[in-house]
Amino acid sequence: MSKRPTLTTTAGNPVADNQNSQTAGPRGPLLLQDYQLIEKLAHQNRERIPERTVHAKGWGAFGTLTITGDISRYTKAKCLQPGAVTDMIARFSTVAGELGAADAERDVRGFALKFYTEEGNWDLVGNNTPVFFVRDPYKFPDFIHTQKRHPKTNLRSMTAAWDFWSLSPESLHQVSILMSDRGLPVSPMHMNGYGSHTYSFISPDNKRYWVKFHFKTQQGHKHLTNREAEGVVGKTRESYQEALFGAIDKGEYPRWTLQVQIMPEEDADKHWYNPFDLTKVWPHGDYPPIEVGVLELNRNPENYFAEIEQVAFSPSNIVPGISWSPDKMLQSRIFSYADAHRYRLGTHYEMLPVNRPRCPVHHYHKDGPMRFFEPLTGNVDAYYEPNSFDGAAEDDRYAEPPLKIDADFADRFNHREGNDDYRQPGDLFRLMTAEQQGRLMDNIAEAMQGVPEEIVKRQIVHFYRADPAYGEGVASRMGVSVSEIAKDAAE
Ligand code: NDP
């Protein structure tokens, strides 16, 4: 006697035969009443959802955040209090490649975290780099177009990439990290994660501090050269999935140390850099990192699609004690991430098991596709607000301190005015060893092959302005006259 469960339709009706379609005779034709066949084919047609426009290829796992330090005077967030342990999920990703792209490609990596706190989900949706290519959201869709496929050739275009970067000097910092060793980590475990944006901490006495989040790998930094990556991709396109899933399966749980940099609110105007500019870091000398806790990944997903393809991160998800900053890129992501999930996953995506908060949820959003969950207002008669039926209501204890804005109103501020786009990329270049600098410039020269000379020269001027040795090194590798570059850089 078989102990297997009986196969059923989606409605639970037992299936008698899953091998032979129903037909009028042995050679056909098919009968329309063969509902099991129709349902099977119909489901297959619906097995895909739109892949993410960016960060399509990803790898993820569940784990915990354990707080070992004490930052309780800066934030009242319960999940950041000493001793707190919070369940979480992480998803890592490449930015440009599609769902089937190879893992070991030179690209920025997404480092997205969702913490299931008792005060709602806190999502920190960052990258493995502390900065980004652009500082104004107007530039984001154009930038992504240069990373995706050319509309006619359907090929990736380094001409488009360098054209955009060379016309957008604010990208130099991120380009320099992308082309350095850290642009091609061996696995998700061997890279840092950064919240990248500046966020707020709200203290128990309702005072605002600015904060940056850093997750430092405890596995050590390990990178592939371009040649090594070719070897990896030739053998497997799934090297990150294999490494992350395999490590957790073996009980080798990857860990990261959580550090924060904290800036008093009034310091925001005191530096040569704008602390809300996503193309800049806060120098550690100005704001030393404070150790806060440990992130550990220790459970593989049971179902990749349900838990990793459908996990939906958004910087709009914050908890009391953590908030946003004026960073324009962050502000635009507050809209665009949740919007992407409504499009990809549907109106009620936050109620999918992987996204569903582990605390009570009360809201008055009503119907729509997949409205499958219980009423959330606290009382069935309270389906609008305000009401007299003890439905969920606001609580002003959660109000944030006002955000200080000290500027004349103007429609637009030129984001390139008064910004030094060269100093920090130069600092980065100068902290590299000679070997690291050499590999950085080799990688750049390799990525510039076939790009029109005018664009190459325009970009080398930026490298030169960051550090003359940086410009000269790339120029000599590209066969470009250094004196011409030096002259242009001085203008
Ligand atoms: P510090 O020397 O105090 O900090 C250097 C930081 O740079 C460390 O976080 C280190 O990360 C990281 N780093 C070291 N080597 C490399 C490398 N080859 N590629 C990328 N990152 C590296 O200097 P500052 O804070 O003054 O920053 C100097 C430059 O370092 C910045 O302009 C920026 O480019 C880069 N940087 C700065 C960060 C910051 O938050 N201040 C963060 C990351 C990079 P790790 O501890 O993991 O080795």
Side-chain angles (χ1 to χ4, degrees):
M1 280 286 284
S2 167
K3 291 205 176 100
R4 291 180 184 195
T6 300
L7 183 70
T8 70
T9 64
T10 56
N13 312 129
V15 169
D17 187 344
N18 195 39
Q19 317 303 321
N20 305 290
S21 46
Q22 288 185 15
T23 52
R27 292 194 283 184
L30 291 171
L31 299 187
L32 183 58
Q33 72 163 29
D34 190 351
Y35 180 69
Q36 294 152 26
L37 175 65
I38 291 168
E39 185 175 77
K40 204 167 178 177
L41 297 177
H43 263 264
Q44 187 181 31
N45 286 344
R46 289 161 178 78
E47 281 179 0
R48 295 288 173 273
I49 58 174
E51 68 174 42
R52 293 166 170 89
T53 311
V54 282
H55 296 277
K57 180 76 187 284
W59 325 275
F62 295 91
T64 49
L65 174 68
T66 304
I67 302 303
T68 53
D70 186 352
I71 51 169
S72 56
R73 70 191 173 100
Y74 301 114
T75 177
K76 58 187 170 189
K78 288 191 177 155
C79 63
L80 295 178
Q81 299 308 307
V85 180
T86 305
D87 287 344
M88 50 81 59
I89 183 170
R91 181 178 182 271
F92 311 103
S93 51
T94 42
V95 178
E98 296 89 358
L99 254 179
D103 296 347
E105 287 187 350
R106 184 170 296 282
D107 199 352
V108 172
R109 265 72 182 160
F111 199 106
L113 309 171
K114 181 186 290 296
F115 301 99
Y116 302 102
T117 91
E118 61 182 276
E119 300 173 295
N121 290 346
W122 171 37
D123 293 358
L124 193 62
V125 200
N127 280 328
N128 70 328
T129 61
V131 295
F132 195 63
F133 296 93
V134 294
R135 65 166 76 91
D136 194 293
Y138 259 63
K139 310 306 306 162
F140 186 76
D142 289 303
F143 164 65
I144 292 302
H145 290 164
T146 71
Q147 301 297 298
K148 293 282 183 175
R149 293 168 187 275
H150 185 283
K152 180 167 181 181
T153 64
N154 200 34
L155 298 170
R156 302 273 292 276
S157 167
M158 286 320 288
T159 294
W162 287 113
D163 192 29
F164 182 90
W165 288 335
S166 66
L167 292 168
S168 312
E170 68 271 24
S171 64
L172 184 61
H173 201 177
Q174 178 77 315
V175 168
S176 299
I177 297 174
L178 173 64
M179 292 296 160
S180 78
D181 290 346
R182 294 199 184 185
L184 191 30
V186 163
S187 87
M189 292 94 85
H190 297 96
M191 62 190 197
N192 289 346
Y194 300 90
S196 304
H197 299 285
T198 296
Y199 288 85
S200 297
F201 269 163
I202 311 295
S203 69
D205 53 354
N206 231 26
K207 192 169 154 21
R208 190 184 298 273
Y209 293 86
W210 307 118
V211 58
K212 291 241 189 223
F213 296 95
H214 307 269
F215 292 85
K216 296 292 182 80
T217 174
Q218 292 189 7
Q219 290 64 244
H221 290 281
K222 280 194 195 160
H223 313 109
L224 297 167
T225 63
N226 285 351
R227 297 294 81 74
E228 287 167 343
E230 283 169 4
V232 171
V233 174
K235 288 199 196 96
T236 174
R237 299 173 66 75
E238 319 299 340
S239 51
Y240 276 39
Q241 180 69 14
E242 289 166 5
L244 180 65
F245 192 94
I248 294 174
D249 215 32
K250 279 191 285 189
E252 294 165 9
Y253 301 144
R255 291 175 148 218
W256 288 261
T257 305
L258 168 59
Q259 299 175 342
V260 293
Q261 288 176 284
I262 295 177
M263 180 188 288
E265 186 178 25
E266 52 280 6
D267 275 20
D269 296 323
K270 106 177 193 196
H271 301 286
W272 65 269
Y273 53 90
N274 165 12
F276 312 118
D277 176 350
L278 186 54
T279 69
K280 304 279 195 300
V281 296
W282 297 356
H284 289 171
D286 291 354
Y287 299 98
I290 303 168
E291 201 162 310
V292 177
V294 178
L295 182 81
E296 177 186 271
L297 298 183
N298 48 31
R299 181 162 67 85
N300 275 320
E302 288 301 314
N303 183 295
Y304 180 88
F305 186 90
E307 295 175 303
I308 304 301
E309 189 61 12
Q310 293 198 129
V311 66
F313 302 93
S314 172
S316 50
N317 293 345
I318 50 165
V319 292
I322 301 173
S323 187
W324 307 297
S325 79
D327 176 347
K328 295 177 224 178
M329 290 294 290
L330 172 60
Q331 301 250 320
S332 75
R333 294 176 76 212
I334 292 168
F335 157 73
S336 65
Y337 277 61
D339 184 57
H341 303 316
R342 286 183 202 107
Y343 162 66
R344 289 185 68 236
L345 302 169
T347 313
H348 297 293
Y349 71 92
E350 293 282 29
M351 292 307 264
L352 290 171
V354 72
N355 299 322
R356 189 170 181 152
R358 308 276 171 85
C359 66
V361 174
H362 298 296
H363 62 69
Y364 292 86
H365 305 308
K366 214 159 168 271
D367 303 334
M370 309 302 282
R371 174 63 176 83
F372 57 89
F373 42 90
E374 70 281 8
L376 296 175
T377 63
N379 179 346
V380 71
D381 292 322
Y383 53 94
Y384 51 85
E385 208 285 329
N387 61 69
S388 310
F389 302 103
D390 291 333
E394 77 243 14
D395 183 340
D396 65 7
R397 285 176 303 160
Y398 296 107
E400 278 185 23
L403 188 66
K404 296 187 177 65
I405 297 174
D406 183 16
D408 295 332
F409 174 79
D411 246 9
R412 319 247 165 182
F413 294 91
N414 183 343
H415 70 84
R416 297 223 170 94
E417 243 167 45
N419 263 303
D420 182 344
D421 291 320
Y422 302 105
R423 184 160 156 182
Q424 291 195 345
D427 290 344
L428 176 65
F429 182 79
R430 288 182 286 275
L431 70 73
M432 291 181 188
T433 63
E435 290 74 28
Q436 289 173 330
Q437 291 177 345
R439 287 194 294 274
L440 164 71
M441 295 183 291
D442 288 346
N443 291 336
I444 289 171
E446 191 174 328
M448 282 183 156
Q449 294 309 310
V451 173
E453 194 181 354
E454 177 200 343
I455 296 174
V456 168
K457 284 184 179 166
R458 195 197 294 142
Q459 180 66 39
I460 296 176
V461 168
H462 296 314
F463 296 136
Y464 190 95
R465 284 181 179 149
D467 192 297
Y470 191 3
E472 285 164 14
V474 179
S476 67
R477 284 166 173 77
M478 294 303 292
V480 167
S481 148
V482 173
S483 56
E484 195 186 327
I485 294 294
K487 192 166 138 288
D488 289 349
E491 280 171 9

